[in-house]
Every structure is written in structure tokens, then in C-alpha cells.
Amino acid sequence: MYKIVKTAKLSENQYDFWIEAPKIAAKTKPGQFIILRTNEEGERIPFTVVETDQDKGLIRFIFQVIGKSTSELALLKAGDSIKDVSGPLGMPTEIENYGTVMIVGGGVGIAVIYPVLRALKEAGNKVITILGAKTADLLILKDECQEYSDELIITTDDGSLGMKGLVTDAMENIIAKNSIDHCWAIGPGIMMKFCTMTAAKHDIPIFVSLNPIMIDGTGMCGCCRVTIDGEIKFVCVDGPEFKGTEVNWKEFLGRMKQYEEEEGVSLTDYQKVQVKDHG
Amino acid sequence: MARKSRTKTPIAEQAPNIRKSNFEEVCLGYTVEEGMEEAVRCLQCKNAPCIANCPVMIDIPGFILAIKDGNMEEAAEILGKYSNLPAICGRVCPQEKQCEEVCKLGMAKNFEPVAIGKLERLVADWALENKDFSKAIQSDTPKIGKIAVIGSGPSGLTVAGDLAKLNYEVTVFEALHEPGGVLTYGIPEFRLPKRIVKKEIESIEALGVKIETNAIIGKTITMDEIIEEFDACYIAVGAGTPNFMGITGTSLNGVYSSSEYLTRINLMHSYEFPKYDTPIKQSKNVVVIGGGNVAMDAARSAKRLGAENVSIVYRRSLEELPARIEEYHHSVEEDIQYYWLTNPVEYLDDGTGNLSGVKCIQMELGEPDDSGRRRPVPIENSEFIIEADTVIEAIGQGSNKVLLSTFPELKLNKWGYIEADPKTGITSIPGVFAGGDIVTGAATVILAMGAGKVAAVEIDKYVKNEKQTPVTTNV
């Protein structure tokens, strides 16, 4: 059992958890993730580690409520426990001094981009950051990202904060004014695809962090497979970061939808039980 | 000599039309009376060939004699000397290619061999019901040393059990949230009930073995830390990386590796969705590629999930089928269809990224290959399409690379498996032993156990030898 030590609600549906997992805290590097299972009947779900506190043996992760498992997780409080947590999983981000880097984070993907951004800043890069969200309320980790960015641009779909529009528009603005050596984009699949197209247009190398369906997370099932430069790769062991230009996006986006129907059934079923038990 | 029945004592099974819609165990096992009746058939050979053909060399006539006398406790004791997981082996060993293949009774014209596997299962199940784990001997003598076992599949559990009996402090590290390896995530409930696996693992824990789950060696804990903290270690991480044929359409929705399909069902209980959270596709037409036990397990599981048509596509013929013959018969009884001498060449897209069919080609058998089996060769212009919404590839697994990639000092063979002496489990690094599928490639439960047994002896020798050697210090 893994104890939850602190929780915070970041927005209407985004939550911030710190849990006790000293062995994982000691080993996690930026870009790596954990897989957890809330309870005995639970499924295994992946979350990126946002931050660690090695002295206290804690790891931090942020999630958005999108279905049954995350709804259940969101009900847990400090002092409660999570049944299983395994990690750190995946390959760490290739952190080095690239020069000037452009970091794009969208939605809950900002939680994934933050540790990468921070490590890149600490490695001496000039960091230009773009954060995108639907509305101002949904924008997470703004201050943290600000702290490690030389420049920070915010975009919202409705213009409630920063510039109104898409992260790719902001990318174009930055590229027009700066010479960018490397780019990272992490967020919804479709956003990463368009960021890749934008970066590729200007010949800027780009890394994305893929978030396919996973089960074990240790390379033994191939559920998370993607085609990278024509070859089958397993995101859990070979990734999660890949060169955006080598990802077969059509296939990746198609495979994300595999269980939409079942995910709906599971959530509806859960909500019915919740209503019945708690009114 | 009493007259021996020509055939094995019949054993109760769930009827095919009932069992194909549930995950309950198919074979119900012998009663003690039936076991005693079957035990009478054993000839009690002096140089029993069955013993030599068992990878862990169980005293088969010995435990069968005890059954014959109705002495189950003694039978269990004999079995326990050789095997740490008899309830599992009795169920999943390919006995027709091992002990029962050489049974002298079975050699006689028109006689079936003694049902050794079923008798082993009877005794083991009896023991699990009647054994009191709390009485496990907790020795007060100081432990000889600390051993790390990496992987809690059949090989790792065997080493752990044997070393605990030799008074070692043993910790087993398991990457998943449940121990058991393939016994837990691979072999389905209807062939190997998980309560049996749990009990068998409890009986090993009762020997003092500690099992740490969610511990991925190479990630959560490094090999350097293992070598630092333990006197020796045994790597038994298995061959868990699924191979894909890599034909066009492999990434379509509806294409599974058998590992994924079976992990969802067995480990994650997706057949009980939505009580359990992990979903699995409800399929109508399922095609399974391969002819091993894993293919049988996947096909029979798909049937139980409600698929109307389930077929197995195998590139050779029945004669070469590597699966246990009992599982093959069970699958046929459950309406699994077979396409012999057939190989898939493409998975077809319905236009929305979902699978609509499997394009196959007919094969014929050519010259024998390295394995001695005749090599299947495609017949030109013989393509045909099988309608399918789900395809499951069960074409074998490769070595598990997470640990190996972070431990480059360890020598591997040309197939990417650990180079270890099969007689000892010794690897290129002193104190690091290995066995099971990570050395041999995907094989059987009993071979993995056999490797564990020999490694336990060697680890004991190694640690005692090391501890006797005076520590040289810089003077």
C-alpha cells in the first residue's frame, strides 16, 4: 500500500497528489512515469511523475478526471492509500544543453512537460515555454513553469488568459523572433501532431511524449505499441518520448479510441452506484 | 499380477457446452478413491523410466504406491521433496511428452499410460486442503545468507522454496502487482485456478520467503544494489516480450498480442468487467495465430468471452502442434475451428482503423528445418480471407529486456537470452545465476522449475564456498 500524504484540487477536474513511494522517488528522472492501481478491482493506469522529494520519499503526480478510475482516485484524501504503484517506468528525457529550447504543454500535459522544462533549464538551456488550456481556470502549474522559463506564453481557447488561440500560433510567433534549437510538445495527441508539423516546417527537431493505452508498463504486452519510423516500438520501454516527425500519428490517434465504448460503460456504471450509495 | 485396466481411470470434467461460457476449471480432478483405483495400474518398475523423463525427477512410483495404500500424507511428503509447485505441474505439464510418454504400461499394446499428472494433481490438491501452513518450521539457526530472486514465476518460486528450506533468507522481487509470473497472467483460470496458484505461493511464503511486488529490477532497484545487498541472486524474469509478425495491419484496433489478451483476462479480470475496471473487446469472430499452449488459451478464452466463431490459424499440421494434446482436445470439444497449414499475410482494415478480416495463405510442408520439423512453405495464389473483428497473435515471446538493458555486464547469447550453464545456472558474473525462459527462451513450467532446482543447489554451494574463503584485506 502506498500512502497519500497530500492532495490538492487544481481546477474543476484536475488533482494534484503526493504519495509515499521512497524507492520510486529515489530513482525517478524527468520524463519517467508510474503505473498505479487504486484498489483490488482497479485497472493499471500510467501517470507521469511531476516531481519527487527524495528526502521524504515522496512522488507527485497530477491527473485529470476523465473516467471511472480517475473519478475514484479523485475521491481519495491525504491518509488514504493506493493499492499498487510501480516505477519509475520508461526512458528518461535526454537532458542536455541544446541552446534555446521551446517547450509546449497543453492541458494536463503541462504536468508532464514541467519536470522536463525544469531539467532543461537546470542544464543551462534558454527555455521559452508555451502553455495552452481551454480556459484560464484549467491552466495548471503556471507559477512553477514561470520560475524555470526565460519566457512564458499562455494561450487559451476562449482568450480568458493570455493570447486567444492555439499553441501552434504561439509557436509560429516565437519561431519568427528566435532561433530555436530543440522543441518539446506534450499534451493531447492531436496537439502534439500539429506541434510536430509546425516544428518540422521550420526544421526544428521536436520530441513528443506519447500516452497510449498501457497495462503492465514493463514491455510484456505490446498494448502501447506505436510505429516509429516504420518500426514497432513499445512506448512503455522505448519511450514515452519519441521524435515527433517519426511517429505514425494516424495509427497512434486511432488506437487511443479502442475502448471508448467500454470506458463509457464503466463510468456510467460507477456513477449509478455512486448516486445510489451517496444520493 | 492383478489385471490392469487398459485405459486411464476416467476423470470428471465440465461438459463442453457448459464450460465454454465460464472460466471455471474444466478438469475436476480425481477423488481419492478414483486416485487409488488409478494408482493400482502403476507397474512399480524398478528402473522407472518415468522418473528420468521428469525434469525434476519426482519419485513417481513412490508417491503412486502411497496413493494406492490410501496414504495421502506420505504421497504429499514424497512429492514435496521434489516439487515446490505440484498442484500446478500436475495441471500444466505436457505429460504426454514427459513422464507419461515413457510409462512402461503405456508402451504395452492397447494400453494407456498411468495418469501420472492427474495423480500428482490429486495429491497436491489434497495437501493444499489439508496442510497447515502455520506449522511451518521457523528455524532458530542463523540464516546462511541472503538471496535475491528476480521474478516470481515458476523458476523463481522454485529456487526461493528450495533455498528457504536450506535456511537462506530469500527475497523474491516481482515487477507486477501479483506474484506467479505466467501462472498468474498467462495460464487461464479454466486450466489453472488462481486460488491454486495463490495457495501454492502461500506455501512457499510459509517457508519464510519474502515476496516484494511492484519491484522492477533495473528500474525500481538496480542490479548494482542487488549485488551489493545480497550474497547471490537468481534471475528468472522469463521471456515476456511479445513478438509480432509485423505484417500489414498489425496496429489496427482489434489486433492483440496473446500476452496482452491473456494479461487483461487473467491478471486484470477483464472477463468480470465492469466489476473489474480493465476492459476487453467483445468479439464476434476471433482468429488466433499460432499452435502452442498460449494459442489454445487465447482461443478458449475468447470463446468464453462470448465470441461466436473462434479459429486457430497454424502454419503446420496437427502432427507438429506444440500444444498439450489435452488442451487441443478440449479446444475442439469447445468448437474452436482449425485452419491447418495456413499463415496470415495481412490484417484488413474496415476503413475506420478497425480489423475486418485476416488474409491468409495456404502452406505445404517442405524439407525439415533445424528443429527437425518440416518447414512450411506458402502455396502461390492460395490466399483467402477469414472474417474477423479480433486477431490474437500467439507466435512466441522474446527475452524480457528491461533488466538486461540496464545490466550490460551480463553476457547474453545470440538470441538475446542470458548465457547460463543449463546444468548449474551459472552466468558470466560470479554470484549471479539465471534460469527458466530467460535462458532457454519460452519453454514449459516444469523446465523452468527444473532449472530452479539445479540453480538452488549451485547457489547454496557458491555461497558456502564464498563465506569460507577468508576475506583478503589490504595489509
Side-chain angles (χ1 to χ4, degrees), chain B residues 32 94 119 171 177 179 233 253 299 312 320 344 369 409:
Chain B
V32 173
L119 289 173
T171 308
H177 59 262
C233 78
N253 291 338
I312 288 185
E320 290 86 11
D369 63 11
E409 305 91 312

Side-chain angles (χ1 to χ4, degrees), chain A residues 8-131:
Chain A
K9 191 171 174 175
L10 300 180
S11 76
E12 193 197 327
N13 60 0
Q14 291 167 315
Y15 293 80
D16 187 354
F17 276 34
W18 284 90
I19 56 174
E20 253 176 31
K23 283 179 187 164
I24 301 174
K27 295 283 158 48
T28 307
K29 295 200 173 81
Q32 291 188 298
F33 64 95
I34 51 167
I35 283 197
L36 63 77
R37 193 173 71 121
T38 311
N39 52 46
E40 202 53 60
E41 287 83 36
E43 60 183 332
R44 294 171 64 96
I45 32 178
F47 295 108
T48 301
V49 178
V50 174
E51 209 177 330
T52 60
D53 181 336
Q54 294 204 13
D55 298 337
K56 293 188 185 141
L58 307 179
I59 58 173
R60 178 189 188 189
F61 68 95
I62 291 176
F63 63 95
Q64 187 163 331
V65 172
I66 48 163
K68 182 191 171 184
S69 296
T70 41
S71 303
E72 247 179 349
L73 201 54
L75 289 179
L76 299 178
K77 300 274 173 290
D80 291 341
S81 287
I82 291 170
K83 185 86 178 60
D84 297 290
V85 182
S86 76
L89 298 165
M91 303 298 286
T93 304
E94 289 174 36
I95 300 293
E96 53 183 272
N97 192 342
Y98 294 88
T100 303
V101 294
M102 177 164 61
I103 312 278
V104 189
V108 78
I110 296 171
V112 183
I113 209 95
Y114 169 62
V116 174
L117 172 161
R118 182 174 164 175
L120 284 166
K121 180 65 197 165
E122 282 166 353
N125 290 279
K126 181 182 174 192
V127 177
I128 304 176
T129 305
I130 303 167
L131 303 181

Side-chain angles (χ1 to χ4, degrees), chain B residues 79 85-88 119-129 200:
Chain B
L79 211 46
L85 308 163
I88 291 164
L119 289 173
E120 178 185 26
R121 169 189 162 153
L122 166 70
V123 175
D125 283 1
W126 181 91
L128 287 177
E129 286 303 321
E200 206 105 279

Side-chain angles (χ1 to χ4, degrees), chain A residues 2 23 27 37 40-44 68-69 72 84-90 213 215-216 218-223 225 227 232 234 237 251 254-255 258-259 262 266 269, chain B residues 175-178 185 212 214 216 219-222 225 240-242 244 250-257 259-260 263-264 268 273-281 400 402:
Chain A
Y2 297 76
K23 283 179 187 164
K27 295 283 158 48
R37 193 173 71 121
E40 202 53 60
E41 287 83 36
E43 60 183 332
R44 294 171 64 96
K68 182 191 171 184
S69 296
E72 247 179 349
D84 297 290
V85 182
S86 76
L89 298 165
I213 302 172
I215 305 173
D216 62 288
T218 62
M220 58 161 262
C221 85
C223 173
R225 66 189 183 275
T227 307
I232 294 179
F234 294 178
V237 290
E251 180 190 294
R255 284 182 63 80
Q258 279 180 90
Y259 292 100
E262 291 82 359
S266 187
D269 201 73
Chain B
L176 290 172
H177 59 262
E178 292 269 5
Y185 72 75
E212 198 178 314
N214 296 321
I216 307 155
K219 295 277 186 190
T220 320
I221 302 166
T222 63
E225 289 168 305
T241 308
F244 286 95
T250 301
S251 291
L252 289 173
N253 291 338
V255 181
Y256 286 92
S257 73
S259 312
E260 179 187 348
T263 299
R264 283 180 182 271
M268 305 311 299
F273 178 86
K275 180 180 178 248
Y276 283 77
D277 294 338
T278 307
I280 194 154
K281 272 280 163 248
N400 204 322
V402 171

Side-chain angles (χ1 to χ4, degrees), chain B residues 249-304:
Chain B
T250 301
S251 291
L252 289 173
N253 291 338
V255 181
Y256 286 92
S257 73
S258 53
S259 312
E260 179 187 348
Y261 200 75
L262 292 172
T263 299
R264 283 180 182 271
I265 293 172
N266 300 324
L267 179 69
M268 305 311 299
H269 290 256
S270 60
Y271 63 96
E272 296 180 71
F273 178 86
K275 180 180 178 248
Y276 283 77
D277 294 338
T278 307
I280 194 154
K281 272 280 163 248
Q282 293 297 312
S283 322
K284 198 171 162 206
N285 301 307
V286 178
V287 172
V288 179
I289 318 289
N293 286 317
V294 178
M296 305 292 131
D297 288 345
R300 298 172 67 200
S301 296
K303 194 83 199 179
R304 283 161 171 76

Side-chain angles (χ1 to χ4, degrees), chain B residues 52-270:
Chain B
N53 239 28
C54 166
V56 296
M57 300 193 64
I58 293 173
D59 174 10
I60 293 165
F63 91 82
I64 293 182
L65 187 63
I67 301 175
K68 192 178 127 191
D69 297 339
N71 194 341
M72 297 303 282
E73 199 160 341
E74 194 195 330
E77 209 168 290
I78 296 171
L79 211 46
K81 270 190 221 159
Y82 302 90
S83 173
N84 290 323
L85 308 163
I88 291 164
C89 287
R91 286 175 167 82
V92 304
C93 274
Q95 287 98 3
E96 74 271 15
K97 291 170 189 161
Q98 293 173 342
C99 54
E100 294 181 21
E101 184 184 34
V102 294
C103 170
K104 279 193 187 155
L105 185 68
M107 301 286 191
K109 200 173 172 218
N110 296 329
F111 273 84
E112 285 180 358
V114 176
I116 301 168
K118 298 287 187 283
L119 289 173
E120 178 185 26
R121 169 189 162 153
L122 166 70
V123 175
D125 283 1
W126 181 91
L128 287 177
E129 286 303 321
N130 294 283
K131 198 156 56 176
D132 182 3
F133 295 143
S134 61
K135 266 200 258 165
I137 326 121
Q138 291 299 331
S139 141
D140 292 334
T141 44
K143 299 284 181 195
I144 303 170
K146 282 176 77 180
I147 312 294
V149 175
I150 304 165
S152 67
S155 200
L157 290 174
T158 300
V159 164
D162 278 9
L163 288 172
K165 286 179 195 164
L166 291 170
N167 201 28
Y168 283 88
E169 186 185 333
V170 185
T171 308
V172 180
F173 296 97
E174 167 58 46
L176 290 172
H177 59 262
E178 292 269 5
V182 76
L183 308 171
T184 298
Y185 72 75
I187 305 174
E189 187 76 22
F190 56 79
R191 209 148 73 75
L192 180 62
K194 300 308 152 211
R195 67 186 158 78
I196 297 288
V197 177
K198 279 212 171 81
K199 274 193 179 177
E200 206 105 279
I201 291 173
E202 275 168 27
S203 76
I204 286 174
E205 285 178 301
L207 299 167
V209 171
K210 213 173 90 196
I211 300 180
E212 198 178 314
T213 53
N214 296 321
I216 307 155
I217 305 305
K219 295 277 186 190
T220 320
I221 302 166
T222 63
M223 272 309 290
D224 286 348
E225 289 168 305
I226 294 281
I227 290 168
E228 172 75 30
E229 201 189 318
F230 293 88
D231 295 303
C233 78
Y234 182 68
I235 303 177
V237 293
T241 308
N243 295 332
F244 286 95
M245 297 189 71
I247 59 178
T248 304
T250 301
S251 291
L252 289 173
N253 291 338
V255 181
Y256 286 92
S257 73
S258 53
S259 312
E260 179 187 348
Y261 200 75
L262 292 172
T263 299
R264 283 180 182 271
I265 293 172
N266 300 324
L267 179 69
M268 305 311 299
H269 290 256
S270 60

Side-chain angles (χ1 to χ4, degrees), chain B residues 21 36 43 146 204 232 260 283 317 362 373 390 392 471:
Chain B
S21 54
M36 288 169 73
L43 299 167
K146 282 176 77 180
I204 286 174
E260 179 187 348
S283 322
S317 58
Q362 238 28 102
R373 295 186 299 180
T390 299
I392 304 162
V471 180

